[in-house]
């Protein structure tokens, strides 16, 4: 499909030297990246980070080349993958044969048909998790948005990840551990060139959280080592693969993939669903249309998977949410062989960063890009998008295999909450993003939930 997304540069990269950017990077790295991206207007960017000088590709044609057309040349390796490599090991988050093996084993769990079969248990878990919001809602008490979204997501993902094979006490240990990992890795993620021998803020908390996560996951693996049982959950698939004669797989491999899937499922969905509430608070016309659609389809019932196909605007809202706040904000790649991007020579060993967050906010690609407008994803308008103008789950062979789970889960959670409550966010104007492994709100966000049925 040919879609006009602005001119494609064919000359040298736009360079941003360290002396021009350093002070702004220190104060607010995300805002500085947004400024640089806007100034470059889709041209290939050369960032000077002192110890590293990566390229930054934001134009959809360049992104498509890196993630799709030359995916075998641009691989997940190098300095910017160092913090994640130490966390996820030889898993679905790695590269080459390790990635191929994990993907082959996990892909059937995430097929559209299988995920649809899982949605019944997901809906049950979501409805039960949302039930616990009734007490603070009727008492008029404010809830902290991010922890509450994390709790609901956790109780849903646990079904997909472990089925019925995890004890509640074990599940409850994983949540704070994942929260600590996600927040304490920020400096290592932003400063990957700093050697491990030099301590950074968060290192000690990260190590403690990882030790607790490992202890819990290895205990679980040990309990089911010889008899994983049956089921269509991720844990069972991994254990059965390890037990296959001649597989050469061990407990470490099961742990690596469990932690990878846990982190990518919990953290990304939690953060995305945290952003939706201040956005809806600032856009009452969108919230009103959502409530009207949900009330007509769901009414006072508990949300079920069969409701979703009759809730097209819910889907559009989630899609637009992921445009402004994609689940993965940046994807580092390293070139194995010389090539060129937009006419700019790329040497073997050069790092190229692609960022859905920045591409999704380019004026040359999206009209009025900072405006929240779910109509961008109406069937008529969605067909006009360049394939890589919108890639919240990545693209090419490494596109997130759990994207179907995210979509079902996010739509069910949004629908369940709005079918029961009218959210009122406190200080929604203070929802300012900061970068780390994901893009989280800088400040604590709270909201009050007004019960709809008691008000009727």
């Amino acid at each position: 499909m040919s879609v006009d997304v602005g001119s494609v540069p064919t000359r040298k990269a736009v360079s941003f030297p360290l002396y021009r950017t350093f002070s702004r990077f220190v104060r607010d790295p995300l805002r500085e990246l947004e400024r640089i991206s806007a100034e470059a207007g889709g041209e290939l960017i050369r960032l000077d980070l002192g110890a590293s000088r990566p390229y930054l590709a934001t134009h959809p044609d360049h992104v498509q080349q890196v993630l799709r057309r030359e995916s075998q040349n641009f691989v997940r390796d190098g300095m910017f993958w160092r913090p994640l490599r130490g966390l996820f090991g030889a898993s679905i988050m790695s590269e080459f044969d390790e990635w191929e093996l994990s993907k082959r084993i996990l892909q059937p769990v995430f097929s559209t048909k299988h995920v649809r079969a899982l949605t019944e248990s997901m809906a049950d878990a979501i409805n039960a998790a949302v039930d616990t919001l009734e007490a603070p809602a009727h008492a008029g008490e404010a809830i902290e948005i991010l922890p509450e979204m994390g709790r609901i997501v956790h109780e849903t993902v646990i079904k997909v990840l472990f089925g019925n094979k995890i004890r509640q006490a074990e599940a409850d240990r994983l949540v704070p551990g994942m929260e600590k990992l996600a927040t304490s890795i920020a400096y290592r993620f932003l400063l990957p060139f700093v050697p491990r021998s030099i301590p950074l803020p968060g290192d000690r908390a990260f190590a403690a959280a990882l030790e607790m996560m490992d202890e819990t996951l290895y205990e679980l693996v040990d309990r089911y080592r010889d008899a994983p049982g049956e089921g269509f959950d991720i844990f069972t698939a991994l254990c059965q693969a390890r037990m296959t004669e001649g597989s050469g797989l061990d407990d470490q491999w099961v742990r690596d993939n469990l932690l990878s899937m846990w982190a990518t499922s919990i953290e990304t969905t939690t953060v995305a669903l945290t952003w939706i509430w201040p956005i809806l608070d600032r856009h009452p016309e969108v919230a009103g249309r959502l409530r009207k659609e949900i009330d007509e389809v769901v009414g006072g019932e508990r949300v079920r998977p069969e409701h979703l196909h009759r809730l097209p605007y819910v889907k559009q809202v989630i899609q637009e949410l992921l445009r402004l706040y994609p689940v993965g904000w940046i994807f580092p790649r390293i070139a194995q062989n010389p090539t060129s991007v937009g006419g700019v020579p790329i040497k073997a060993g050069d790092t190229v960063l692609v960022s859905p967050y920045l591409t999704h906010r380019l004026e040359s690609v999206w009209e009025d890009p900072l405006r929240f407008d779910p109509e961008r994803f109406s069937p008529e308008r969605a067909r006009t998008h360049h394939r890589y103008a919108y890639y919240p789950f990545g693209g090419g062979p490494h596109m997130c295999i759990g994207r179907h789970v995210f979509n079902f889960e996010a739509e069910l959670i949004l629908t369940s909450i709005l079918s029961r409550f009218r959210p009122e966010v406190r200080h929604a104007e203070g929802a300012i993003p900061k970068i780390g492994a994901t893009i989280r709100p800088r400040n604590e966000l709270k909201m009050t939930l007004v019960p709809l049925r008691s008000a009727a």
Side-chain angles (χ1 to χ4, degrees):
M1 176 171 57
S2 178
V3 179
D4 183 11
V5 288
S7 60
V8 182
T10 56
R11 50 187 187 277
K12 67 178 182 179
V14 180
S15 181
F16 289 87
L18 186 64
Y19 74 86
R20 284 178 51 196
T21 63
F22 180 76
S23 62
R24 290 191 292 260
F25 259 117
V26 170
R27 288 195 302 270
D28 192 336
L30 183 59
R31 180 172 293 183
E32 179 61 5
L33 283 173
E34 289 185 66
R35 186 195 69 80
I36 287 171
S37 175
E39 185 175 327
E43 298 194 35
L44 196 68
I45 297 164
R46 192 72 188 267
L47 296 172
D48 188 345
L49 302 179
S52 175
R53 299 186 68 236
Y55 291 95
L56 175 62
T58 59
H59 193 284
D61 284 345
H62 299 163
V63 172
Q64 186 171 28
Q65 177 183 348
V66 172
L67 295 185
R68 181 76 179 181
R69 291 200 305 272
E70 293 190 34
S71 61
Q72 292 184 321
N73 187 37
F74 289 101
V75 299
R76 301 197 294 193
D77 203 355
M79 177 189 302
F80 285 86
W81 274 96
R82 190 179 299 155
L84 298 180
R85 178 71 178 181
L87 179 62
F88 298 138
S91 70
I92 189 72
M93 292 294 286
S94 58
E95 189 59 279
F96 308 118
D97 292 344
E98 296 170 347
W99 166 75
E100 289 275 6
L101 173 64
S102 296
K103 183 179 180 181
R104 186 174 71 250
I105 291 167
L106 290 173
Q107 189 78 61
V109 180
F110 289 101
S111 67
T112 303
K113 180 180 179 180
H114 188 192
V115 171
R116 287 186 185 277
L118 285 172
T119 55
E120 286 293 338
S121 61
M122 289 170 61
D124 289 338
I126 287 167
N127 284 319
V130 173
D131 283 345
T132 64
L133 296 176
E134 294 283 354
H138 284 279
E141 299 173 357
I143 62 169
E144 293 184 30
I145 297 177
L146 192 144
E148 284 300 318
M149 293 303 104
R151 179 186 60 80
I152 295 170
V153 170
H154 156 71
E155 293 179 19
T156 308
V157 169
I158 209 79
K159 301 291 186 183
V160 179
L161 202 64
F162 297 104
N164 60 357
K165 296 182 175 65
I166 189 170
R167 297 165 181 161
Q168 189 61 47
E170 292 169 325
D172 290 342
R173 293 179 68 194
L174 293 175
V175 177
M178 191 65 250
E179 171 72 12
K180 185 60 69 176
L181 287 178
T183 54
S184 60
I185 200 176
Y187 279 94
R188 286 292 170 192
F189 198 81
L190 292 171
L191 304 170
F193 42 80
V194 176
R196 279 286 175 186
S197 57
I198 299 176
L200 288 177
D203 281 357
R204 186 173 299 177
F206 180 88
L210 186 58
E211 182 179 1
M212 188 274 292
M213 295 285 286
D214 279 347
E215 181 181 317
T216 303
L217 292 175
Y218 278 122
E219 285 177 2
L220 189 65
V221 172
D222 185 64
R223 189 161 69 245
Y224 288 96
R225 177 180 289 109
D226 300 320
E230 298 296 325
F232 297 101
D233 54 274
I234 291 170
F235 178 63
T236 300
L238 294 172
C239 288
Q240 289 176 342
R242 182 201 53 196
M243 290 182 65
T244 301
E245 186 175 354
S247 71
L249 304 176
D250 56 14
D251 291 357
Q252 175 77 41
W253 177 83
V254 177
R255 171 267 184 210
D256 290 347
N257 275 288
L258 280 175
L259 189 52
S260 295
M261 297 311 303
W262 179 262
T264 53
S265 299
I266 295 288
E267 172 67 8
T268 55
T269 312
T270 296
V271 172
L273 288 172
T274 296
W275 285 112
I276 191 62
W277 307 112
I279 287 175
L280 292 180
D281 192 83
R282 292 194 296 264
H283 297 83
E285 73 289 351
V286 174
R289 182 172 169 184
L290 262 181
R291 285 195 297 269
K292 184 174 185 294
E293 180 180 80
I294 291 170
D295 187 58
E296 290 175 351
V297 173
V298 181
E301 300 176 9
R302 295 169 79 78
V303 65
R304 304 308 311 167
E306 54 268 24
H307 289 133
L308 295 184
H309 76 278
R310 297 163 55 201
L311 297 168
Y313 196 62
V314 168
K315 181 177 181 179
Q316 288 174 216
V317 167
I318 294 297
Q319 288 174 305
E320 177 69 345
L321 168 67
L322 293 182
R323 187 185 66 82
L324 286 176
Y325 297 99
V327 293
W329 77 274
I330 197 163
F331 306 132
R333 296 291 188 268
I334 191 167
Q336 291 191 295
N337 301 296
T339 186
S340 64
V341 175
V344 177
I346 303 294
K347 296 182 294 184
D350 280 346
T351 294
V352 179
L353 309 174
V354 296
S355 171
Y357 183 87
L358 298 176
T359 299
H360 294 179
R361 292 164 180 251
L362 278 180
E363 289 189 356
S364 59
V365 176
W366 298 92
E367 182 181 352
D368 196 3
L370 300 185
R371 179 168 56 91
F372 187 79
D373 179 14
E375 282 302 306
R376 300 179 200 271
F377 294 94
S378 64
E380 301 77 19
R381 291 176 61 181
R383 285 193 291 268
T384 67
H385 301 162
H386 186 292
R387 172 62 187 84
Y388 283 83
Y390 179 74
Y391 56 107
F393 298 100
H398 287 292
M399 182 181 291
C400 175
I401 64 173
R403 61 191 180 277
H404 301 306
V405 171
F406 173 90
N407 286 327
F408 278 118
E409 183 182 15
E411 291 171 31
L412 286 167
I413 291 173
L414 179 62
T415 301
S416 182
I417 292 176
L418 287 181
S419 69
R420 303 198 209 181
F421 310 106
R422 187 181 74 248
E424 296 178 351
V425 179
R426 297 186 177 184
H427 310 297
E429 69 281 356
I432 301 169
K434 67 174 182 178
I435 56 175
T438 54
I439 296 181
R440 287 177 159 228
R442 183 176 302 171
N443 305 316
E444 179 185 85
L445 294 175
K446 293 186 175 183
M447 67 179 175
T448 303
L449 298 172
V450 179
L452 295 179
R453 299 308 149 206
S454 60

